[in-house]
Amino acid sequence: MRSSMSFIFKYINKKRWFLLGYSAIFLESLTPIIATLLQRDLIDKVFSAKQYQEFPKILALYAIFFFGPKLWFTVRKVVFFHIGYNLQTVLTKEFLIKIYDMPTAAFNKEHVGSLLNNIRNNIADASDLSVNQILSESVKNILTIVFLVFSIANINFMMLIIVVTVSIIYYALLHKFGEKTKQFSQQVREEKANVAIAVEESISSIREIVAYNRQDWQINNYKEKFSQYFKAIIKQGLFKNKILFISDPFLYGTKIVAILLGGIGVISNRISLGEFVVGFTFVDQLVTELGQLFEQALIAKKLEASVECIKSVIGRDEVKFGSADFNKHIESIEFRDVTFSYSPDSPAVLNDISIDFPIGKKIAIVGKSGSGKSTIAQLLTRAYSPDRGEVFINDVPINCYGKQYTDKVSMVFQQPYFIPSTIKENLTLDKSYKPIDIENTCKEMLCHDFIVGFPNQYETQVGERGISLSGGQKQRLALSRAMLKNTEVLILDEATSALDTETEFSVQKNIDKLRKGKTTIIIAHRISTIQNADIIYVLDKGKIVAKGPHEKLMSESTIYNELYNFQQVR
Ligand SMILES: Nc1ncnc2c1ncn2[C@@H]1O[C@H](COP(=O)(O)OP(=O)(O)OP(=O)(O)O)[C@@H](O)[C@H]1O
């Protein structure tokens, strides 16, 4: 628990507010005790000793101390709500930064549903544990218990002994059940994440599911996950009932013993009637506070499981890249003896390959499907790192560079993603460009005409709540985005595959014009797209089997000839 708390406390940046919150808790715990002590004076002084002149004063003080806790309670809630809200914002930001920085291999192992569940539920739980709920309530319980113990000791020593005994029993129960509560809670959390993953997957695959009429299969899959979740909740509930079944008798037993001892004290004239009433009220309050503290401790064990989930993402210390400055231009890009597989137990996708990408040229990579073309692009954008060998940029291993490297290289994917925003924002991604430059680039990439055909033109919303774009329109927009960024190196991975041959030819011609003198790496199936490249690498089963310009490959490479001739036939 201590490690979870210290982990979360690193992210609380409103520590001064805590002083205010805990001062409110101190007063909230103390004032009801004083109010109860006033009852003793009311009984012993006013009613038993008949000092009626004291009555208005005691009544007025009672009213003040009775309503005091409500005020301090409100102050505490407001203060901790602010700290908790701030903590959730900070944790969410840290979480997103960590996801962005997570090596792609690690990210691929996480389900989007599970990450969303982490953001939605676990961060709120962490805030409840450390700020809003558990910690502040527990501190209030503990302070009240301390005040009550002193007050009871002042009235009747025997009552104090019962109270201490009950506290020890509670502590032993907590020790016995705490770890198990955490385990049940972890199980519930895992099953809940599985339900979230099932929902996320069934929504993501909706097109295929409907097309193949497999709705029942998906619904049954969801039902199965939900039933596991439900079973875990029932198990957790039964365990909680078992704890209550054991702990409740202590509550009531203690009160009865307090009445017995107090009653004997009054009958034998060792304590006054007022002390008996107040002493019993204190024991009653104390047992309630102990019960609440016990409850908080069990909930804390549950929430600790959430903090561990967050920690498993935010607490990762995998560092993706180095921090070397990159102020120069890219002068060389080279794969030296690179071998790579996507996981330790799968075969190598790239097999001891060495490639030189001449700067300022158009370089193409061709090969059959699955030969490893996109994987080369993934290594160039640092999504993955080689198992053996190295990718060198200016003779320095690529991962040594900080994020400046990313500003020098951009990539267009076959299926680009657009944020739910306007076309303009998707093109600029919050960078500022002159409207005329945006328009000219879109004209070159042959998308200006269809953009101005929309009623809101460049302000048209795309993405989830906007218009749907065709595959070819999306690719042209993505190309415009990359052309606007105009990086030193541009990688196009099947970036024009959805365009018809005529449009693809025109777009490609304009790309060549705009990228003249700049390094452009093109991965393509259609040879016609890259026929004019300065150098073409032919990849087969993860190996470079030929390289050179089109004419040379036509006369020397059988695989290249096969690829070319097959496309001519089609
Ligand atoms: N993220 C991944 N995890 C595991 N294996 C992968 C991953 N991406 C690709 N592969 C595997 O690596 C091999 C090469 O894939 P890659 O995408 O590099 O080939 P490609 O030549 O670009 O194919 P295509 O022309 O069909 O796009 C394939 O066998 C593929 O199954």
Side-chain angles (χ1 to χ4, degrees), residues 108 342 349 368-375 384 525:
N108 284 348
Y342 280 97
V349 173
K368 289 183 188 155
S369 181
S371 56
K373 302 182 293 296
S374 298
T375 306
Y384 296 91
H525 273 122

Side-chain angles (χ1 to χ4, degrees), residues 251-399:
L251 290 182
Y252 305 113
T254 313
K255 289 184 196 175
I256 291 165
V257 176
I259 294 177
L260 177 74
L261 289 176
I264 292 171
V266 174
I267 292 165
S268 59
N269 272 336
R270 274 187 286 110
I271 56 170
S272 69
L273 188 61
E275 283 170 338
F276 168 67
V277 172
V278 171
F280 176 71
T281 311
F282 279 155
V283 170
D284 190 28
Q285 279 177 6
L286 192 123
V287 168
T288 311
E289 295 288 336
L290 277 173
Q292 283 176 0
L293 188 63
F294 180 64
E295 207 42 28
Q296 305 291 356
L298 289 180
I299 300 174
K301 285 278 175 194
K302 281 206 276 181
L303 300 187
E304 201 189 348
S306 302
V307 176
E308 277 169 18
C309 284
I310 301 171
K311 221 167 142 184
S312 71
V313 176
I314 298 187
R316 281 170 195 264
D317 51 10
E318 290 153 281
V319 181
K320 204 155 116 180
F321 310 125
S323 54
D325 281 345
F326 201 156
N327 300 319
K328 292 200 298 186
H329 289 298
I330 294 181
E331 285 158 3
S332 68
I333 307 171
E334 209 186 329
F335 276 48
R336 284 188 208 155
D337 310 318
V338 168
T339 296
F340 173 79
S341 57
Y342 280 97
S343 65
D345 46 2
S346 62
V349 173
L350 300 179
N351 229 321
D352 200 19
I353 62 166
S354 295
I355 317 175
D356 182 24
F357 295 88
I359 299 305
K361 303 286 179 196
K362 178 174 174 179
I363 307 128
I365 303 171
V366 296
K368 289 183 188 155
S369 181
S371 56
K373 302 182 293 296
S374 298
T375 306
I376 291 179
Q378 300 273 23
L379 297 191
L380 276 173
T381 52
R382 308 198 291 186
Y384 296 91
S385 299
D387 301 333
R388 280 200 309 278
E390 195 57 81
V391 178
F392 285 94
I393 305 290
N394 293 0
D395 286 322
V396 173
I398 192 169
N399 283 347

Side-chain angles (χ1 to χ4, degrees), residues 514-525:
L514 292 172
R515 297 288 306 168
K516 200 164 172 50
K518 294 199 154 143
T519 316
T520 309
I521 301 169
I522 303 183
I523 294 166
H525 273 122

Side-chain angles (χ1 to χ4, degrees), residues 30 59 108 233 265 298 317 403 464:
L30 187 63
L59 197 65
N108 284 348
I233 287 191
L298 289 180
D317 51 10
K403 286 186 179 162
E464 277 178 17

Side-chain angles (χ1 to χ4, degrees), residues 426-438:
N426 270 289
L427 288 168
T428 60
L429 293 180
D430 207 30
K431 288 213 162 155
S432 60
Y433 298 101
K434 286 186 197 147
I436 187 72
D437 290 340
I438 299 177

Side-chain angles (χ1 to χ4, degrees), residues 13 46 113 123 159 167 237 319 322 348 436 569:
N13 54 18
V46 179
I123 287 180
M159 281 188 182
S167 312
V319 181
I436 187 72
V569 174

